[in-house]
Amino acid sequence: MPLDMSYESDSSDDGASTKATRSNNKAPSLADKDAFPETFGSAPAPAPQPSMDFASLAGKFVPEENSEFDLTQPRPVQRRVITRISRLRDMYYKSRDVCNQPLGSKWKLHVDSGLQGPEKSVECVSRQLGGEVGSTKQFDPVCAPLRPGVSTGSNVRLFKSSITSPSALDEALEQGGKWSLSVSKELSMDMFEELCLYVLDERLGASVDGCLLAVREGADVLSVWSGAAPSAKAESKMSEDIMAILGLEEGCRVEFGLHSTVYKKLSQARKYFCVEQPPRGAVVTAQEVSLQPRSKVEVTHEKQDKRKANKGKKRAEEGFITENNMTQRKPAGNSSEGADPRGSTSASTVNPFGDLEVEEEKQAGKKKNESDAPLVFKTRKANSRKGSKKGSAKDEFADLPVQQGSVVPLPIFMAAGGAVFLVLAIFIWTYTQSS
């Protein structure tokens, strides 16, 4: 039995709307207020936005001026101050040409808290910051913890890794000395980092073994250490180089002293923690703004020093080091008959190793006055016939006439070959015709 699926509503509104829909199937117009009541005044109108000009917009970002802007007067421009240490950090820590270059030596940075407690029972130890420094880029994270500052009485030392105890007690440093100067606390840490970069880059020479920052009450002390006692000329030159490279004024004084003189009557603990009198002279309170680049004279001297160190040595293609002062053995006498074939031009041309000298080992039972016999290479002739006597001087082919030209001339050989070829061709043609 089929089911009635129609549903009727009791509401009269539903019926009216259904009839209206059936009677009018056209799409409503956009101007019909009944179809779109929300767009025509039913909702509140948006509040008008306040107008803003460029002057009011610029006032949000430009600070207020106390006086009226005057076009006739120059406007002060605030710029970021670029210090010496910031430029050095950009050059030594970020420049690819400099920061990744390997240093001539490995370095370590040490720090201690100074002399703590009685001198007799104190331990002469210091802690190392980071690992070994092999390039200027590696020094940046090692030095970073020290930039906020260290406590008074502390010592910060940068020395070569080969120096186990960075103090005047070390055997590698006890015979040397140091150049010292007093620096104000506002500049001491930045100037010490600058000095460390110059020491790593060997701007003060390869003889410098380290540098030290001693934090003291009134002013801090910077010093450059060397393991060897310099001459009077080298001492004054190093003082001038330190003042020039750090940009110090002419009135500043860099004082030099030998470790044996400075720490002569001090105890072992005072020697280790550098408890001494501060250097004489005015305290450094300012530096020049401009840096001092490497001069052509410095580069020339460095190249000359390297040449002197490598003088007399030549690196071959295989990587071996050979001496340049090898002398060639000269033949005895003026005649060419007794000359050594190894020194002649023809021998060296045929044999590429003919110019090399041969040194024979001394025999155990060799006499003192016995001269070195030359090397003789002998070849053994094969016997010409079976049963011949050894050492026979006569050659069985000695009586044969010497043939200057070829046995069969070339024209005769070519004619004979052509005749043979022609006979073979006739023979083959005859054979093919008969068959």
Side-chain angles (χ1 to χ4, degrees):
M1 181 177 179
L3 300 176
D4 187 8
M5 300 300 293
S6 62
Y7 297 93
E8 295 181 359
S9 177
D10 297 337
S11 176
S12 59
D13 297 337
D14 294 343
S17 62
T18 303
K19 292 179 181 180
T21 305
R22 290 178 181 177
S23 61
N24 188 9
N25 293 328
K26 295 182 179 180
S29 175
L30 295 177
D32 190 358
K33 297 181 179 180
D34 297 334
F36 305 101
E38 298 159 353
T39 60
F40 291 91
S42 60
Q49 296 291 336
S51 61
M52 180 178 294
D53 54 359
F54 287 103
S56 58
L57 183 62
K60 293 184 177 181
F61 304 97
V62 179
E64 297 182 359
E65 297 182 358
N66 297 329
S67 60
E68 187 178 354
F69 185 72
D70 188 3
L71 295 177
T72 60
Q73 298 295 330
R75 182 181 177 86
V77 179
Q78 296 180 358
R79 297 181 179 179
R80 183 173 62 92
V81 179
I82 301 177
T83 59
R84 290 173 59 97
I85 191 61
S86 60
R87 284 182 289 174
L88 285 171
R89 288 169 183 170
D90 293 340
M91 181 174 62
Y92 282 104
Y93 300 153
K94 298 179 182 179
S95 178
R96 296 181 180 179
D97 299 336
V98 180
C99 66
N100 295 323
Q101 290 292 332
L103 302 176
S105 304
K106 298 289 185 179
W107 299 79
K108 291 182 180 179
L109 189 66
H110 307 266
V111 62
D112 61 80
S113 300
L115 184 61
Q116 304 291 333
E119 300 178 13
K120 296 182 179 180
S121 60
V122 70
E123 296 183 3
C124 300
V125 293
S126 61
R127 60 187 179 93
Q128 178 182 345
L129 293 181
E132 285 188 339
V133 177
S135 63
T136 56
K137 186 177 181 180
Q138 296 177 358
F139 183 70
D140 185 18
V142 175
C143 183
L146 301 175
R147 289 169 186 162
V150 293
S151 59
T152 303
S154 302
N155 301 287
V156 185
R157 323 172 193 217
L158 177 69
F159 280 85
K160 293 180 179 179
S161 300
S162 57
I163 300 176
T164 56
S165 177
S167 65
L169 302 175
D170 194 277
E171 296 180 357
L173 298 173
E174 60 181 358
Q175 300 298 329
K178 61 179 181 177
W179 292 263
S180 305
L181 69 156
S182 300
V183 186
S184 63
K185 292 187 174 295
E186 291 78 10
L187 294 176
S188 60
M189 187 55 67
D190 290 345
M191 191 179 293
F192 174 69
E193 185 177 357
E194 180 180 353
L195 182 61
C196 289
L197 293 174
Y198 292 145
V199 170
L200 294 176
D201 196 21
E202 296 184 356
R203 293 289 303 273
L204 296 175
S207 61
V208 175
D209 294 322
C211 57
L212 182 141
L213 169 64
V215 183
R216 299 298 181 256
E217 287 290 344
D220 300 338
V221 179
L222 282 179
S223 57
V224 177
W225 290 46
S226 176
S231 60
K233 183 178 179 181
E235 175 187 337
S236 60
K237 184 179 182 303
M238 178 63 72
S239 301
E240 295 175 358
D241 292 344
I242 292 175
M243 292 182 60
I245 203 171
L246 292 178
L248 305 182
E249 299 177 355
E250 297 181 357
C252 300
R253 180 180 178 181
V254 180
E255 183 179 352
F256 175 78
L258 294 172
H259 297 319
S260 58
T261 305
V262 176
Y263 304 108
K264 185 176 182 180
K265 298 181 179 180
L266 297 181
S267 62
Q268 184 176 1
R270 287 181 175 268
K271 289 182 181 180
Y272 185 84
F273 293 108
C274 304
V275 181
E276 55 180 310
Q277 295 293 330
R280 296 171 295 177
V283 178
V284 177
T285 57
Q287 291 179 274
E288 293 183 3
V289 179
S290 59
L291 300 176
Q292 184 184 21
R294 284 183 180 271
S295 61
K296 294 183 179 180
V297 178
E298 293 180 2
V299 177
T300 305
H301 287 326
E302 290 179 2
K303 291 182 179 180
Q304 290 177 356
D305 294 341
K306 290 182 180 179
R307 288 175 183 174
K308 290 180 181 179
N310 298 328
K311 188 177 181 180
K313 296 182 180 180
K314 182 180 180 182
R315 187 169 296 276
E317 295 179 358
E318 297 84 359
F320 298 98
I321 296 177
T322 59
E323 297 291 338
N324 290 336
N325 54 1
M326 293 183 64
T327 57
Q328 199 172 18
R329 184 178 297 176
K330 298 181 179 179
N334 298 328
S335 61
S336 60
E337 296 178 358
D340 192 353
R342 290 173 294 176
S344 61
T345 306
S346 60
S348 62
T349 305
V350 177
N351 183 11
F353 305 99
D355 295 337
L356 297 179
E357 296 182 359
V358 180
E359 295 182 3
E360 299 182 18
E361 297 181 358
K362 294 182 179 180
Q363 302 295 335
K366 189 176 181 180
K367 297 180 181 180
K368 295 183 180 180
N369 298 330
E370 184 179 357
S371 61
D372 295 338
L375 296 178
V376 179
F377 299 93
K378 296 181 180 180
T379 58
R380 182 179 180 182
K381 293 183 179 180
N383 295 331
S384 59
R385 60 181 178 177
K386 188 176 181 180
S388 61
K389 296 181 180 180
K390 182 178 180 181
S392 60
K394 187 177 180 181
D395 191 0
E396 57 180 347
F397 302 105
D399 298 334
L400 295 177
V402 179
Q403 184 70 26
Q404 299 295 336
S406 58
V407 178
V408 180
L410 181 61
I412 299 175
F413 179 77
M414 295 295 293
V420 172
F421 179 76
L422 182 60
V423 171
L424 290 176
I426 294 173
F427 177 77
I428 294 172
W429 180 81
T430 306
Y431 178 77
T432 55
Q433 292 295 328
S434 61
S435 58

